[in-house]
Amino acid sequence: MGYSPETALADLIDNSLAAGARKIDIRLDWRDGDPLVEILDDGTGMGLGRLIEAMRFGGEGPDAERGGDDLGRFGLGLKTGSLSQCRELTVASRRDGNVARLAWDVDRVGDGWCADAPDASPAGELAAAFDGGGDGTLISWNRMDRLGGLWGLDRDAFNDRIAAIRAHLAMTFHRFLSGEARRLAITVNGLAVTAWDPFCRRHDATMTLPRDVIRGPDGSIAARSYILPHRDRFASERDWEEAGGPGGWVERQGFYVYRGDRLVSPGGWLGLGGSRAWTREESSRLARIALDLPVAMDQAWRIDIRKSLARPPAWARARLAGIGTDARRRAREVFAWRGTGHVTTRKRTRKDESEVWPWEARGGTAVPRYRVRRDHPAVAAVAELLGDDAPLLGGVLSAIELTIPVERIWLDVAEQGGAEPVQPAAAEIAELAAPLARLVSSMNTPDESGDRLDSVLRSLGVTAPALRAAVIRQLGEK
């Protein structure tokens, strides 16, 4: 059914949340490649009758009326999620001091579909804690299935799997872990899981767009777009990688669908985009959009059994496509301008702060054409210096514009995961300093020469302090 260890564990945490749990401990014991996995919560627990229903396949199906904080869906997650990973599932629950315990054994399930009632859970660290604790539920996975994701791993691979589990839980339940929703604490092998915010809301360069509400026959959807900072705006490479999340920046772009504050779909474009559905692209990797659905909208969104896939209803697709189009456009601008904020984070008030290379759409599927602005301050100043020969400059620029290798540039940038800021080498600085100094001196504006220099460099997208210092030296000599 497509479960991984992390999605299976997330299904069990849903049940713990429905039981009012505030703390969930997960323990994975390697045991030379045949692990024991234990999940212990401090929820309200179950009596025998309720446990029997919980262990019944499809006990409460999708037609059952659920409360706003009940994250169940088909009444199958406990069983299917667990048995996707192990061959023996044991559930022990204590309520009001009374313990009930049932187990499914895959090797014996064909014998009348009868669950076992063992006297004890498989011996483990959390089983001992359950025996000495209060109300709550202990789930044990024993005898790992060879088709699951935990059997037969060496120690290093097993530790990598634990890291993937921690990352997935930090993403899926980040609203609970951070306290945005009902507070929940999760530990994995004794270490607390820290919330991972997909939207980098604490970063001062993140763009938060206004909240949008989409109303339809099945209820209302709340949407909010976030344009995350460019790579250059992060303090370190480690901060950049952590903000990318599980799978990285390209994988995590798009819509984040929440159901009862629990993340269901962590990224992707929901099949939107018309006849050519949008794909995950480098240029849109900074766009992330939060969508909040009520639990009652499961059927309209066709939430799958693993609660990991959602499909928007027809009545919402046009509005969602509009929201996605705007977010992708804004993300593309930040990506193209390397996070300097020229296009999206600051209102343009001066002509010298506009792009050097505005693009022209060329109908159909043709590659856009990029042209150098003839009224750009630097271009205009050179044209004025040339006097009657100014058309020569226009002709040279037109020839260059026709031969820009857009496809080659895009391929090179995509292959390296984004363009790094270009810092001019010493030889390039020496070559540029004198012409820029003459250009600044010839500009017919009332500003001081230092202000004119900053205007030119800013409009050209150049931020190298060494180049600025070299030009200032040239101006001083003049």
Side-chain angles (χ1 to χ4, degrees):
M1 297 183 69
Y3 278 102
S4 63
E6 46 267 35
T7 56
L9 286 168
D11 248 0
L12 303 188
I13 291 174
D14 290 343
N15 294 335
S16 295
L17 281 167
R22 296 284 180 175
K23 186 173 187 297
I24 301 172
D25 297 312
I26 300 173
R27 183 80 189 175
L28 300 98
D29 186 359
W30 179 50
R31 298 197 310 185
D32 294 324
D34 186 13
L36 171 68
V37 179
E38 300 173 288
I39 305 96
L40 176 63
D41 71 42
D42 63 352
T44 55
M46 297 176 281
L48 180 59
R50 183 70 187 89
L51 178 58
I52 289 173
E53 289 305 312
M55 293 291 273
R56 190 190 308 278
F57 283 82
E60 287 187 357
D63 295 331
E65 185 173 342
R66 298 181 182 274
D69 58 352
D70 187 348
L71 299 179
R73 172 71 179 115
F74 290 96
L76 288 168
L78 169 63
K79 287 76 66 177
T80 55
S82 297
L83 296 178
S84 72
Q85 304 301 314
C86 70
R87 302 188 66 79
E88 181 182 89
L89 162 66
T90 305
V91 180
S93 194
R94 181 184 289 107
R95 184 181 179 90
D96 298 330
N98 298 312
V99 175
R101 185 179 284 108
L102 292 175
W104 280 118
D105 188 328
V106 171
D107 296 331
R108 297 167 51 187
V109 73
D111 184 17
W113 282 85
C114 291
D116 296 325
D119 294 329
S121 298
E125 186 173 314
L126 295 187
F130 173 80
D131 289 341
D135 289 354
T137 299
L138 170 70
I139 299 171
S140 303
W141 295 351
N142 195 26
R143 293 171 29 225
M144 291 298 118
D145 195 296
R146 292 171 184 254
L147 297 180
L150 294 171
W151 184 86
L153 302 178
D154 61 29
R155 173 65 81 175
D156 289 339
F158 187 70
N159 289 337
D160 289 343
R161 195 85 223 198
I162 292 176
I165 289 169
R166 290 177 57 85
H168 182 81
L169 299 182
M171 174 177 66
T172 302
F173 299 99
H174 75 89
R175 289 185 174 178
F176 296 92
L177 294 169
S178 66
E180 289 181 72
R182 173 162 59 86
R183 173 73 71 174
L184 175 68
I186 301 175
T187 68
V188 177
N189 284 12
L191 297 177
V193 176
T194 303
W196 175 74
D197 179 11
F199 311 112
C200 289
R201 286 169 291 181
R202 292 189 176 183
H203 199 294
D204 59 6
T206 296
M207 294 174 57
T208 303
L209 303 184
R211 184 172 177 265
D212 202 342
V213 177
I214 305 172
R215 293 180 174 85
D218 303 305
S220 298
I221 305 166
R224 173 161 281 168
S225 299
Y226 300 85
I227 311 302
L228 275 62
H230 190 276
R231 187 174 192 162
D232 303 344
R233 305 299 296 273
F234 285 87
S236 66
E237 189 69 17
R238 179 178 179 181
D239 289 347
W240 162 256
E241 291 178 357
E242 288 181 355
W249 279 93
V250 174
E251 183 67 20
R252 294 278 79 88
Q253 65 182 273
F255 289 96
Y256 284 66
V257 181
Y258 292 85
R259 173 182 176 270
D261 285 319
R262 191 259 208 212
L263 183 58
V264 171
S265 179
W269 294 107
L270 301 178
L272 301 173
S275 58
R276 294 183 62 190
W278 295 328
T279 58
R280 292 176 169 92
E281 301 166 1
E282 284 287 343
S283 61
S284 55
R285 69 185 182 187
L286 303 179
R288 294 176 181 175
I289 306 165
L291 295 180
D292 280 280
L293 315 181
V295 171
M297 209 177 284
D298 286 352
Q299 186 173 358
W301 276 75
R302 294 179 287 171
I303 305 294
D304 75 336
I305 192 170
R306 292 173 296 145
K307 296 190 285 288
S308 62
L309 184 65
R311 306 169 186 86
W315 57 263
R317 292 182 68 86
R319 289 283 302 279
L320 291 173
I323 293 169
T325 297
D326 180 62
R328 287 167 63 89
R329 174 185 62 79
R330 292 172 181 267
R332 184 181 186 278
E333 290 175 347
V334 174
F335 178 84
W337 279 93
R338 302 187 179 191
T340 58
H342 287 208
V343 178
T344 54
T345 61
R346 182 171 64 198
K347 182 179 180 181
R348 252 184 233 152
T349 57
R350 299 176 52 147
K351 186 177 290 186
D352 61 9
E353 291 182 341
S354 58
E355 307 99 312
V356 183
W357 292 93
W359 64 278
E360 296 177 355
R362 301 168 64 187
T365 58
V367 175
R369 181 177 178 180
Y370 294 83
R371 297 177 60 85
V372 175
R373 289 190 43 167
R374 300 304 191 264
D375 61 346
H376 188 277
V379 177
V382 173
E384 186 175 348
L385 286 173
L386 291 174
D388 293 340
D389 293 329
L392 293 175
L393 174 62
V396 171
L397 291 177
S398 295
I400 293 173
E401 291 163 350
L402 289 172
T403 58
I404 296 174
V406 176
E407 298 93 335
R408 179 71 257 175
I409 293 171
W410 175 249
L411 181 61
D412 291 341
V413 171
E415 286 179 345
Q416 67 180 9
E420 292 293 334
V422 177
Q423 298 297 329
E428 293 173 314
I429 290 175
E431 186 178 352
L432 286 169
L436 284 175
R438 185 180 177 191
L439 175 65
V440 169
S441 298
S442 65
M443 291 177 66
N444 186 20
T445 67
D447 298 329
E448 297 291 333
S449 59
D451 293 335
R452 293 200 300 271
L453 171 61
D454 289 337
S455 174
V456 170
L457 294 179
R458 185 170 59 246
S459 65
L460 293 173
V462 177
T463 58
L467 176 58
R468 184 181 187 280
V471 176
I472 289 176
R473 285 194 297 272
Q474 289 281 340
L475 291 171
E477 293 173 3
K478 291 180 180 299

